[in-house]
Amino acid sequence: MASSSLFNGERAVVLVFISRVLFSLPFSLLLHGLSLSLLALSAFVVEIRAETSASLSIFKTRPGASSGILLGAVTLPVVMLSKLIQLSRAFALHEVALEELEYSTVQYWATSASSLSVLVFLYIIMLHAPDSTQHPGSHSSLDDKFTLCGMLVYVVACGVSLLTTSHTGFIMILNLLWVLCHGLAAVKLIRHFLNTFPSCASIGEALLVTTGLVLYFGDMLACTIVKAIGYISSSELGFAQYGIKRSEITTVIQGVILGLLLFPVIFKFVVQVWECSSRGYSEARTYNEIGRSFIFFSFLGVVLVVIIPSWMQFVNVFNLHPLLWVISFVFSEPLKRLSLCIYWVCVIYVSVLRFYNISKNSKIERILLRKYYHLMAVLMFLPALIFQPKFLDLAFGAALAVFLALEIIRVWRIWPLGQPIHQFMNAFTDHRDSDLLIVSHFSLLLGCALPIWMSSGYNDRPLTPFAGILSLGIGDTMASMVGHKYGVLRWSKTGKKTIEGTAAGITSVLAACSVLLPLLASTGYILSQHWFSLILAVTVSGMLEAYTAQLDNAFIPLVFYSLLCL
């Protein structure tokens, strides 16, 4: 296969992205860098093979998108490795505890193992599926041996790394089992996701989502196990020690989000029991709809008011009921926080009403119309991030919970809100959304929120919390608008992205940073961001936006955040 067909624009950007992180590794993280290199090489081989094979067509992926396997496999492991590099600097300066560094190490290996396990799963499917595109004399046998050797080296590197961070051999075995469970859970979850939600995501996007969910669930489970055991000291259960040291806001967000993610599974079972019990009767369909709606909202209320707060109080110390604690937190600074809430409501009301009318009566392309919401995100989140960061953390969690609840209502068509919500949301969809799931608003919200949440602990790079707002709210928006209106030179013959748009996006983000850095300095931040690293981070994320066929709202903020951490 020609080298020109092996390296397209997206893969070249990913290669630069990984190389930049590997170049910044301290000596203590060389094994992590080796594992990341093996993971990237494995993902590259699987993606190339997927392009020449029809065996992965058993999964109905999003139409018009490439597989995105390489980008999806390396993004979260690189994020965790960048965070480890940052914590290593802090540990050298005695600014973080050893337990935090050890727990982050286990999280890195869990994330990396999740991605590798999915790659192995995809590789096995392609290996055993009848494939008419393979030609005699191909080097598939050599590729198989090379891939197997790479996986063995990866396992050895993982074991050695966990051995150096574990206090005893028992803890190392426990950590290895913990990492293995993450990998198995990721394989199970991505199969379920691709089969349950066909045509909703590419394999790379599904890999990113499943790896993130497995890591998030694993963190919650680790915290619960430590609290349940209670009598075991930190030296005897080091893999989860840092997991219990979390703020009340983090506990509230995690409990609500994971509770809502698990809610449809339990509700589906309840609905099946309800339908079986009423099958023999001749009631009207309206009665069944009302009954299902009553069950839905009643059960949702029990989950949000009783079950989830009970878990929160179990894993963290709340002097009040968690919902009352949230209310108390909001009113602890009523003037600032309530004023901010009123400002948000006004911006949302004016923007949604205006853009909804435009979407119905105008011929403006949906992609441009949606960029106005990116600008709205800048107006809403930037002032709050500078002056009320903790309250913004909580607000992001509340917004995500509302989005999840509304999407569940829309998908299940819960009377009387399901159909109106579906009609309203369809006014803002484009080719990346399907009839089954509408994910663009989730990706925009999480793209802005994740860098802020991940920067809530130790952070010596003041721009990292702004990674999502800068890359999506400013860079992506300017690239689309300038490219659409003035773009002439295209990056590829088949793509729509233009050189003019990419240049505008990169320039606008750099201009915003030049204004933001002095402002942060005036509010007390100690500036330690090097301009060379900043320019490289902005350029790489801008080039990824130009070349990727994946959902850029999901990947670009994480890539930008990782590079800013360095």
Side-chain angles (χ1 to χ4, degrees):
M1 186 178 294
S3 59
S4 59
S5 60
L6 288 177
F7 288 96
N8 56 26
E10 180 179 296
R11 292 172 192 155
V13 174
V14 173
L15 178 61
V16 174
F17 171 48
I18 296 174
S19 301
R20 174 68 181 98
V21 176
L22 294 178
F23 180 77
S24 303
L25 284 177
F27 181 77
S28 60
L29 298 179
L30 287 183
L31 287 176
H32 303 70
L34 174 62
S35 69
L36 179 62
S37 302
L38 294 173
L39 177 66
L41 188 58
S42 301
F44 179 76
V45 171
V46 172
E47 182 171 290
I48 294 297
R49 189 156 185 166
E51 288 185 350
T52 59
S53 170
S55 53
L56 293 184
S57 60
I58 59 174
F59 301 119
K60 295 181 180 179
T61 57
R62 180 163 60 86
S66 60
S67 67
I69 294 174
L70 175 60
L71 180 61
V74 303
T75 298
L76 274 184
V78 172
V79 170
M80 300 307 300
L81 187 55
S82 298
K83 191 66 179 177
L84 260 179
I85 294 173
Q86 190 178 51
L87 290 176
S88 298
R89 293 196 302 264
F91 181 72
L93 298 174
H94 306 288
E95 295 185 6
V96 297
L98 177 62
E99 290 81 10
E100 183 171 352
L101 188 64
E102 291 175 347
Y103 186 71
S104 296
T105 299
V106 177
Q107 280 192 313
Y108 165 76
W109 286 113
T111 308
S112 181
S114 299
S115 295
L116 184 65
S117 300
V118 173
L119 293 177
V120 172
F121 166 68
L122 297 176
Y123 193 79
I124 291 174
I125 291 178
M126 293 185 290
L127 198 62
H128 292 87
D131 194 349
S132 59
T133 61
Q134 292 292 333
H135 302 286
S138 65
H139 299 283
S140 58
S141 177
L142 182 61
D143 292 343
D144 296 341
K145 294 179 180 179
F146 179 78
T147 303
L148 179 61
C149 292
M151 292 175 183
L152 291 176
V153 174
Y154 174 91
V155 173
V156 172
C158 177
V160 173
S161 174
L162 293 178
L163 179 62
T164 58
T165 57
S166 303
H167 303 283
T168 64
F170 172 74
I171 293 301
M172 186 197 74
I173 296 174
L174 195 64
N175 286 333
L176 283 174
L177 290 175
W178 185 250
V179 169
L180 177 62
C181 289
H182 278 73
L184 297 176
V187 172
K188 181 70 175 178
L189 185 58
I190 196 170
R191 288 184 62 183
H192 175 76
F193 183 86
L194 291 173
N195 291 326
T196 306
F197 304 106
S199 304
C200 292
S202 68
I203 294 179
E205 293 163 357
L207 207 164
L208 178 71
V209 172
T210 54
T211 304
L213 287 177
V214 167
L215 183 67
Y216 206 48
F217 271 97
D219 181 68
M220 176 181 179
L221 182 59
C223 179
T224 307
I225 290 174
V226 171
K227 283 294 185 177
I229 295 176
Y231 299 102
I232 300 179
S233 65
S234 60
S235 61
E236 295 173 311
L237 198 61
F239 80 99
Q241 172 63 24
Y242 182 61
I244 64 174
K245 295 180 180 179
R246 61 190 67 209
S247 66
E248 293 87 348
I249 293 177
T250 302
T251 304
V252 169
I253 294 173
Q254 193 170 36
V256 172
I257 298 306
L258 293 181
L260 288 175
L261 288 174
L262 293 175
F263 173 79
V265 179
I266 306 175
F267 177 67
K268 182 179 180 180
F269 173 76
V270 174
V271 168
Q272 289 175 346
V273 174
W274 158 262
E275 291 177 348
C276 290
S277 63
S278 61
R279 186 170 296 173
Y281 299 93
S282 58
E283 288 86 358
R285 181 178 176 182
T286 303
Y287 172 79
N288 289 332
E289 288 294 323
I290 295 176
R292 193 173 72 140
S293 177
F294 176 77
I295 293 174
F296 176 88
F297 288 109
S298 299
F299 188 62
L300 182 62
V302 171
V303 169
L304 293 178
V305 177
V306 179
I307 299 177
I308 293 176
S310 298
W311 176 83
M312 295 176 189
Q313 290 179 315
F314 177 75
V315 300
N316 209 334
V317 178
F318 285 88
N319 297 324
L320 302 170
H321 187 280
L323 294 181
L324 296 178
W325 183 92
V326 170
I327 296 174
S328 174
F329 175 79
V330 173
F331 282 93
S332 61
E333 296 183 25
L335 181 61
K336 295 180 180 179
R337 292 171 181 171
L338 292 180
S339 300
L340 194 58
C341 290
I342 295 172
Y343 168 70
W344 285 341
V345 170
C346 293
V347 171
I348 293 173
Y349 176 78
V350 173
S351 302
V352 170
L353 184 64
R354 173 63 176 167
F355 299 151
Y356 182 67
N357 292 331
I358 291 177
S359 68
K360 294 191 300 182
N361 304 321
S362 176
K363 296 183 179 180
I364 297 178
E365 290 189 23
R366 293 284 179 89
I367 186 65
L368 288 180
L369 184 63
R370 287 147 58 103
K371 298 306 175 184
Y372 289 111
Y373 283 96
H374 289 218
L375 292 176
M376 186 181 77
V378 176
L379 292 176
M380 292 177 60
F381 304 146
L382 190 59
L385 181 55
I386 296 175
F387 300 108
Q388 283 288 323
K390 291 185 178 180
F391 182 62
L392 182 61
D393 287 348
L394 185 63
F396 272 132
L400 184 57
V402 171
F403 281 1
L404 283 172
L406 292 178
E407 185 67 7
I408 295 171
I409 292 172
R410 188 194 68 82
V411 171
W412 284 85
R413 296 294 195 274
I414 301 298
W415 180 88
L417 301 176
Q419 190 59 31
I421 292 175
H422 177 71
Q423 293 175 351
F424 177 80
M425 293 301 298
N426 271 343
F428 304 103
T429 58
D430 64 5
H431 65 280
R432 292 175 295 185
D433 292 304
S434 68
D435 292 333
L436 188 57
L437 283 182
I438 299 177
V439 298
S440 295
H441 56 302
F442 284 102
S443 62
L444 175 60
L445 181 68
L446 286 173
C448 294
L450 285 176
I452 298 174
W453 286 342
M454 290 186 293
S455 302
S456 58
Y458 174 81
N459 179 40
D460 61 348
R461 297 291 186 261
L463 286 180
T464 52
F466 299 86
I469 298 174
L470 291 173
S471 59
L472 297 181
I474 297 177
D476 188 30
T477 302
M478 292 300 296
S480 295
M481 292 184 172
V482 173
H484 177 77
K485 190 170 184 179
Y486 303 105
V488 176
L489 303 175
R490 301 189 182 277
W491 286 107
S492 64
K493 296 180 180 179
T494 57
K496 296 182 179 180
K497 304 298 178 64
T498 65
I499 296 177
E500 294 88 348
T502 302
I506 294 173
T507 304
S508 62
V509 173
L510 289 175
C513 291
S514 65
V515 175
L516 188 59
L517 284 173
L519 180 61
L520 292 175
S522 65
T523 58
Y525 282 91
I526 299 176
L527 300 182
S528 56
Q529 195 79 50
H530 301 289
W531 272 101
F532 174 76
S533 299
L534 177 60
I535 292 173
L536 184 60
V538 174
T539 303
V540 171
S541 59
M543 294 302 297
L544 180 62
E545 190 275 336
Y547 277 116
T548 186
Q550 307 303 303
L551 190 61
D552 50 7
N553 288 0
F555 288 98
I556 294 176
L558 294 177
V559 170
F560 193 32
Y561 169 84
S562 301
L563 295 174
L564 288 177
C565 284
L566 307 178

